[in-house]
Amino acid sequence: MASGIVGEFFELKAEASADLLAMQMGDFYEFFGEDAETVGEELDLKVSERSSGGEPYAMAGVPVDDLTPYVKALVERGYRVAIADQRDTDDGIVREVTRTVTPGTLIETDDAEAQYLASVVADGDEYGLAVCDITTGQFRATTISGEAATGLALNELDRFDPVEVLPGPSVRSDDDFLAALRADLDARLTLFETDVFAPGRARHTLETQFGDAVGTVGLSDPAVAAAGAAIAYIDETGVGALASITRLGSYTADEHVTLDLTTRRNLELTATMTGGGRTLFETVDHTATNAGSRLLKEWLTRPSRDVETLRTRGAAVEALVDDALVREGLTETLGESYDLERVAARAVSGSADADSLLRARDTLALVPELIDSIEGSPRLADSPVAAIFGGLDPSGIEDLRTELEALADDPPKTLHEGGLIKRGYDDDLDELVARLEAATEFFDTLEERERRRHGLSRVTVGRNKTDGYYVQIPKSESDSVPDEYEGIKTLKNAERYVFDELRERERELFRLEEERGEREYEAFRRLRESVAERADLLQAVGRALAELDVRCSLATHAAKRGWTRPTLTDERGLEIEAGRHPVVETDTQFVPNDLSLDPDRRFLLVTGPNMSGKSTYMRQAALITLLAQIGSFVPADSARVGLVDGIYTRVGALDELAEGRSTFMVEMEELSNILHSATDESLVVLDEVGRGTATYDGISIAWAATEYLHNEVGAFTLFATHYHELTTLAEKLPRVENVHVAATETDGDVTFLRTVEEGPTDRSYGVHVADLAGVPEPVVDRAGDVLDRLREERAIEAKGGGSGGPVQTVFDLGAGEFRTGGSEHSNAGTNDGSTASQDTDSIDPEIGDVLAELRSAELAETSPVELMNRVREWQRRLEEE
Ligand code: ADP
């Protein structure tokens, strides 16, 4: 049984809900037993042994001043670390756990990334979500409800990419939800006391934190539970950052463009699918600050649907594009700024050091400079850029900055030894320092004096922790040592001495030093508290700097790449002239392409040889829409973007294949999600559907999905397919059109033109791509022969053995057979040998159109008169046929 200090360690450890405990023992924090072995291994620390109760225990320690980086490293590896500090009391030294550091409550981080702690509560079909970044004081809550709530809640969590998640009581028993959390997120799941999620208690916690705001924000019960639990958790870990969380932000999902996890991955917004290449974020990021880069990332993953917000952002970006010189100046100034939101949070938690306050001071000094630059530019002064700093209180900023002027310009790392405060701010301190300098003077000149006084030519004066001040005389001069010297230490070639006056002066000096250290630390703490009290102001300034930074960054990229400001509208439609892919254009001689979608042309079937550029063309449309909806310029000569409520994509699922999940299953899950979630205001990009299964299945599913998207959902859709059969859909469905990426073939060589043209492609160029890819010549030749034969046979079969011009074979979904699209009334041979079908698909496009309108007519929402008019109109159109 361990006893004494080791015993105390294990007792504290048993009480702490943590993986590891660091316990203070004087100047060190120590770990014992398994904890010591773990940190020894993780941090490469030396592990020694200490025996207790007759047993040896592993022991590892880190100096008190160095604890932070070690704890940070442990927490980043996923450990929860409890810290027990020691206090001197009348009854001796007492140790207790003062803080538990977890991934979501690590305040000391310097990463550019946001560090979210999320809490999620389920109540039937309703989910409450709260996310908090304690390093900046950001706190938001939302409610997600409806049929697809589970998926949306997971999606929303994933969008924040939290480092730690607190699942509420009912979520904990939902194995599927937990499994999905584990699969999608790289976050620690912490099971916190269930009581704190109880509605009454959670509301009380929230009201204590935010006061009346809780009532006015109008959160649902699950959102209150999630938010209350998050606050309680932050409080319990003892990080002391609660006071920096001043605003309870609430939002609803419909403020943002829905981008599900798959879409964010497919569009490579912040991570690429393969790990190589560049993300959209990396491509457009020219921010000069960490806060700016965090905000840009947030915009990219949460585009807005508010046309006014976007127009204002766009106008600011445009002004910054126009005044390049001032913009460059602003960016340079921003580059000197420091992460104020983080300083605010650290000041509040009492962990801000002198250096960070100093940098906060210098950052505040930049604000008037930035405002002057903006006002000095007529173009910017007259734009929404001027409003960015408009809401701030300039005199408050100036007051805080002036107060921080008291900080020394080059403060030491330690807080207790003086040197933190400038002269001229505290008379008592100045006098103390003057006395200290006088006292030091004695020692500075001591060597010289003793040399002269006693003829000691090689005397030196030194100071160290154990001996204090001493004079040191080499053995060769020991004969000349005066009587008043008292030896304190013998070294190999020298002896150290002290004498009465030296002792007295030293006592005085140490006393003054200590007094100064304490006084300066006090002054520093007062400054830090002042900053903490104005955390609000710092957060607001920090936010404004980030807002300016992002706009400058977007303008810089727009100017560099010749992007244009899109026209944004609430009407449906996407018109792009000479559009480019924002990432591909940076390292390719890019061939621009147009795109046009409107309510009457809302579904494009994109065909073309493999590798011709179909997927690039479709992603480019999605990315241009997304960029427009963050307020950015876009890579095109001109663009008119009707705002969308969501962007949905499905593309070849490479990574799932690598994970051993059935690609076809994944593909169908993704398709199902799109068909459920997309609306007539969404943009859908489908890059091949149905490839993961046999041809008939594949075509059938692709066909049915197209009809459903066209007739029922009405989303703007770009659908690339290698099923040539589908191109006939354009004839059957009124709002479907074919486009293809052009390629030419000369002497068996295919040249990709990368231009998108109207109409379907004539065939696939697969064999030529195989050739380009270096497949051995005999194989390519043979494939060419086989292809020719197949085409011949198909043609013969399609024509029932007859002869004639070229025939196109299509798959007829209605009849479940292949038939020739060119000869309307032929009884084409079926593939399964059954009898020929009725010609159900020979309906004229106009009739098809009328049928589609009839099918989708909303009877409940149409007045009888209007309905009558429409029926009359349909009759008229049918008669014309
Ligand atoms: P597909 O989807 O038809 O197989 P991709 O879109 O993947 O083809 O494009 C194939 C290659 O062509 C990619 O390397 C891409 O960078 C390049 N590419 C695509 N479109 C263009 C374009 N408009 N201009 C220049 N290169 C392009």
Side-chain angles (χ1 to χ4, degrees):
M1 241 327 250
S3 59
I5 199 84
V6 183
E8 191 177 345
F9 178 90
F10 286 118
E11 270 169 35
L12 284 171
K13 177 72 197 289
E15 285 167 23
S17 61
D19 306 320
L20 301 166
L21 172 70
M23 185 177 84
Q24 189 185 2
M25 280 172 64
D27 290 341
F28 280 82
Y29 280 97
E30 303 287 358
F31 300 84
F32 290 103
E34 278 177 14
D35 289 18
E37 279 158 21
T38 308
V39 296
E41 223 163 83
E42 292 282 6
L43 305 179
D44 219 7
L45 277 183
K46 193 168 161 295
V47 179
S48 54
E49 232 173 55
R50 178 169 181 130
S51 91
S52 176
E55 297 263 344
Y57 289 91
M59 165 171 159
V62 299
V64 166
D65 288 338
D66 289 346
L67 181 68
T68 304
Y70 285 106
V71 169
K72 195 169 160 232
L74 288 169
V75 170
E76 281 166 357
R77 289 186 170 105
Y79 294 97
R80 252 173 96 90
V81 187
I83 297 168
D85 288 311
Q86 72 179 39
R87 262 186 311 127
D88 280 324
T89 67
D90 294 343
D91 305 327
I93 290 178
V94 173
R95 295 190 176 84
E96 59 194 6
V97 174
T98 48
R99 225 195 120 176
T100 311
V101 192
T102 72
T105 59
L106 176 74
I107 197 136
E108 289 85 1
T109 186
D110 274 323
D111 295 354
E113 304 286 318
Q115 179 193 283
Y116 288 111
L117 167 74
S119 163
V120 51
V121 170
D123 182 5
D125 260 357
E126 206 168 48
Y127 285 83
L129 229 68
V131 283
C132 176
D133 181 349
I134 66 151
T135 69
T136 60
Q138 239 190 73
F139 192 94
R140 281 182 277 194
T142 193
T143 310
I144 294 163
S145 48
E147 225 178 289
T150 308
L152 293 174
L154 281 166
N155 183 41
E156 195 56 22
L157 277 173
D158 183 80
R159 178 156 26 185
F160 283 100
D161 197 13
V163 289
E164 185 170 6
V165 177
L166 309 175
S170 52
V171 173
R172 276 176 221 183
S173 48
D174 184 343
D175 288 342
D176 291 344
F177 196 91
L178 289 183
L181 274 185
R182 289 205 176 89
D184 291 348
L185 301 178
D186 193 13
R188 182 184 171 110
L189 296 189
T190 302
L191 303 184
F192 189 42
E193 305 157 34
T194 48
D195 301 359
V196 299
F197 291 89
R201 171 132 171 221
R203 185 168 292 276
H204 179 72
T205 315
L206 274 193
E207 282 167 356
T208 313
Q209 178 72 19
F210 297 109
D212 296 341
V214 182
T216 48
V217 163
L219 295 176
S220 69
D221 282 349
V224 167
I231 292 287
Y233 182 70
I234 295 165
D235 190 23
E236 197 198 74
T237 55
V239 56
L242 277 186
S244 76
I245 305 170
T246 51
R247 266 186 310 153
L248 171 62
S250 110
Y251 68 96
T252 52
D254 57 11
E255 290 167 30
H256 303 293
V257 176
T258 306
L259 294 172
D260 58 20
L261 177 58
T262 317
T263 301
R264 289 197 304 277
R265 280 191 189 151
N266 287 343
L267 294 180
E268 310 197 306
L269 300 183
T270 55
T272 60
M273 302 207 2
T274 54
R278 263 198 309 158
T279 63
L280 179 65
F281 170 73
E282 284 160 353
T283 307
V284 301
D285 177 26
H286 305 277
T287 55
T289 68
N290 281 352
S293 107
R294 283 199 301 272
L295 186 61
L296 175 60
K297 211 172 250 184
E298 192 181 315
W299 282 11
L300 283 173
T301 46
R302 310 168 69 75
S304 167
R305 290 173 57 189
D306 183 51
V307 77
E308 280 317 312
T309 306
L310 294 172
R311 282 188 187 141
T312 315
R313 284 184 196 169
V317 174
E318 184 167 38
L320 288 161
V321 167
D322 291 347
D323 197 335
L325 208 64
V326 173
R327 182 185 75 237
E328 279 163 21
L330 291 174
T331 306
E332 211 177 301
T333 309
L334 285 167
E336 295 163 26
S337 75
Y338 191 54
D339 211 330
L340 290 186
E341 289 178 297
R342 293 238 163 115
V343 181
R346 281 187 216 167
V348 164
S349 78
S351 65
D353 60 11
D355 195 48
S356 62
L357 294 195
L358 193 65
R359 286 157 80 177
R361 176 191 83 190
D362 296 344
T363 304
L364 290 175
L366 301 175
V367 175
E369 225 177 274
L370 291 167
I371 293 177
D372 281 353
S373 306
I374 292 169
E375 281 172 0
S377 152
R379 184 69 184 87
L380 295 183
D382 197 27
S383 80
V385 176
I388 295 176
F389 293 102
L392 300 175
D393 161 23
S395 60
I397 295 175
E398 183 52 19
D399 289 351
L400 184 56
R401 194 197 63 76
T402 316
E403 199 174 331
L404 289 172
E405 273 301 328
L407 281 173
D409 285 324
D410 191 12
K413 282 234 161 306
T414 55
L415 293 179
H416 295 276
E417 285 162 24
L420 299 171
I421 305 293
K422 265 191 207 147
R423 300 290 73 80
Y425 282 86
D426 174 346
D427 293 344
D428 292 346
L429 178 65
D430 290 353
E431 195 206 315
L432 189 63
V433 174
R435 276 161 54 209
L436 185 63
E437 276 165 4
T440 318
E441 171 76 16
F442 170 83
F443 293 97
D444 289 349
T445 52
L446 183 61
E447 219 168 85
E448 183 57 35
R449 268 201 315 282
E450 295 305 282
R451 195 172 296 154
R452 265 192 277 116
R453 208 145 63 105
H454 306 294
L456 294 162
S457 63
R458 296 171 62 200
V459 63
T460 50
V461 172
R463 174 182 178 170
N464 68 24
K465 262 208 161 113
T466 39
D467 302 332
Y469 276 104
Y470 55 80
V471 287
Q472 184 165 315
I473 309 217
K475 292 233 162 90
S476 57
E477 280 193 339
S478 52
D479 291 348
S480 324
V481 169
D483 290 347
E484 57 170 321
Y485 276 25
E486 183 189 323
I488 56 161
K489 191 176 252 171
T490 308
L491 307 176
K492 200 165 160 224
N493 293 315
E495 189 85 20
R496 285 181 184 167
Y497 302 91
V498 293
F499 50 93
D500 287 348
E501 191 189 1
L502 181 145
R503 278 215 178 99
E504 258 165 50
R505 298 275 191 168
E506 182 189 71
R507 252 197 309 279
E508 168 72 0
L509 181 81
F510 284 179
R511 194 182 59 72
L512 289 170
E513 274 181 354
E514 197 180 321
E515 204 179 314
R516 174 189 177 183
E518 276 169 18
R519 210 178 163 88
E520 290 206 18
Y521 179 62
E522 260 320 301
F524 173 77
R525 271 195 27 199
R526 279 197 304 276
L527 274 177
R528 188 160 67 191
E529 275 162 25
S530 255
V531 173
E533 276 163 24
R534 276 170 277 180
D536 254 7
L537 177 76
L538 280 193
Q539 284 171 345
V541 177
R543 184 85 193 168
L545 295 172
E547 297 274 350
L548 179 63
D549 194 14
V550 178
R551 286 163 178 80
C552 285
S553 170
L554 291 178
T556 301
H557 195 76
K560 185 168 155 196
R561 291 276 157 206
W563 287 11
T564 45
R565 182 171 171 199
T567 307
L568 303 177
T569 83
D570 275 328
E571 283 154 33
R572 301 286 291 131
L574 182 61
E575 285 296 329
I576 299 171
E577 263 176 48
R580 283 113 53 201
H581 186 294
V583 178
V584 178
E585 72 160 343
T586 58
D587 53 13
T588 313
Q589 193 64 33
F590 201 87
V591 180
N593 273 305
D594 300 344
L595 175 74
S596 166
L597 289 170
D598 60 51
D600 292 330
R601 176 192 158 94
R602 60 164 82 131
F603 196 115
L604 293 189
L605 273 163
V606 186
T607 43
N610 274 337
M611 292 299 288
S612 61
K614 299 182 294 298
S615 135
T616 308
Y617 178 68
M618 297 192 302
R619 283 162 190 244
Q620 149 188 334
L623 291 173
I624 286 176
T625 305
L626 186 141
L627 284 166
Q629 290 197 243
I630 69 165
S632 170
F633 277 31
V634 297
D637 284 356
S638 82
R640 186 179 165 82
V641 179
L643 299 191
V644 300
D645 64 358
I647 300 176
Y648 299 87
T649 66
R650 209 220 77 66
V651 305
L654 280 179
D655 42 351
E656 269 88 2
L657 187 62
E659 279 167 24
R661 287 164 71 189
S662 145
T663 39
F664 183 60
M665 188 64 192
V666 171
E667 185 182 328
M668 287 304 109
E669 281 170 6
E670 290 180 4
L671 180 65
S672 148
N673 176 40
I674 293 174
L675 297 179
H676 276 299
S677 317
T679 74
D680 61 349
E681 287 181 37
S682 310
L683 177 64
V684 174
V685 167
L686 300 172
D687 198 350
E688 298 287 3
V689 165
R691 261 199 124 152
T693 184
T695 311
Y696 291 180
D697 270 11
I699 298 182
S700 314
I701 292 167
W703 188 290
T706 303
E707 283 186 341
Y708 188 79
L709 279 164
H710 176 272
N711 298 336
E712 308 292 331
V713 178
F716 278 4
T717 307
L718 295 168
F719 183 178
T721 180
H722 77 298
Y723 291 130
H724 199 245
E725 292 79 3
L726 293 184
T727 56
T728 53
L729 270 167
E731 290 161 25
K732 302 173 194 304
L733 300 172
R735 288 172 287 275
V736 173
E737 299 291 339
N738 281 305
V739 297
H740 69 278
V741 191
T744 55
E745 187 182 347
T746 350
D747 300 334
D749 285 332
V750 177
T751 312
F752 295 130
L753 302 177
R754 314 273 185 228
T755 48
V756 176
E757 293 167 11
E758 294 292 313
T761 179
D762 44 3
R763 60 189 167 106
S764 156
Y765 292 72
V767 173
H768 299 289
V769 175
D771 191 11
L772 288 180
V775 170
E777 217 174 292
V779 178
V780 174
D781 288 349
R782 177 72 185 132
D785 291 347
V786 174
L787 181 67
D788 288 345
R789 278 228 350 247
L790 285 176
R791 282 205 182 111
E792 248 165 55
E793 282 172 13
R794 173 71 67 82
I796 294 164
E797 181 192 15
K799 286 192 268 169
S803 61
V807 184
Q808 196 174 44
T809 312
V810 297
F811 178 77
D812 178 340
L813 187 78
E817 64 176 14
F818 278 96
R819 51 181 289 280
T820 52
S823 51
E824 300 220 319
H825 298 283
S826 74
N827 287 337
T830 56
N831 288 278
D832 57 7
S834 67
T835 52
S837 73
Q838 293 299 312
D839 233 346
T840 46
D841 269 285
S842 54
I843 295 175
D844 179 279
E846 182 63 24
I847 299 177
D849 211 337
V850 171
L851 286 178
E853 283 177 41
L854 177 60
R855 194 179 300 152
S856 60
E858 297 275 14
L859 296 188
E861 285 164 24
T862 317
S863 73
V865 176
E866 199 186 327
L867 205 57
M868 202 173 81
N869 286 337
R870 282 169 73 179
V871 173
R872 189 173 295 141
E873 155 82 350
W874 286 330
Q875 283 176 335
R876 186 188 57 73
R877 279 157 64 188
L878 291 176
E879 267 162 27
E880 272 174 21
E881 284 312 309

